Amino acid sequence: MSRPILLPATFCGLVALLVLYSAASFVQPPATVESSQQRRFLQATAVSSGAALASALPALAEEIDVGEEYNRKVLNAAGYCLGLAAFLVGFIISQAKKSVENRWLD
């Protein structure tokens, strides 16, 4: 005789709801104590990251030659095309092997 499945499923659902809604199942967040040392660390980090960005601006402002920009675009496009071609060749070879194994060509 098969057991009724409704009773265990209902019991599991009630246990899951009880666990989710109980406050003891979650870890309490840490207390928000902000010391002066921590504030100084954050201020120093902000200043140093600002200095790093300011020193990098001249490198970002360099102009790229028109020919070099064109060559970059061509190489990028060639890379995409060759990658797709390699994928398609591999796919065709694998499908051809499957066809031969299934004796489809005979």
Side-chain angles (χ1 to χ4, degrees), residues 3-91:
R3 291 181 165 179
I5 197 162
L6 186 60
L7 184 64
T10 306
F11 178 71
C12 289
L14 288 175
V15 169
L17 284 174
L18 180 69
V19 169
L20 285 175
Y21 284 116
S22 69
S25 63
F26 296 105
V27 177
Q28 297 296 325
T32 57
V33 176
E34 190 172 314
S35 65
S36 62
Q37 182 181 7
Q38 188 179 14
R39 271 188 256 131
R40 275 187 268 136
F41 171 72
L42 292 175
Q43 288 173 350
T45 305
V47 170
S48 65
S49 64
L53 285 174
S55 66
L57 285 178
L60 295 175
E62 266 185 41
E63 288 194 25
I64 298 174
D65 186 25
V66 176
E68 185 175 341
E69 183 180 357
Y70 176 75
N71 288 339
R72 283 185 184 181
K73 287 181 181 179
V74 168
L75 285 175
N76 196 10
Y80 280 116
C81 291
L82 288 175
L84 287 173
F87 173 76
L88 287 174
V89 166
F91 184 73

Side-chain angles (χ1 to χ4, degrees), residues 88-105:
L88 287 174
V89 166
F91 184 73
I92 290 170
I93 289 173
S94 70
Q95 293 302 315
K97 284 183 179 181
K98 286 181 184 178
S99 298
V100 170
E101 288 173 1
N102 289 337
R103 299 185 188 265
W104 181 73
L105 295 174

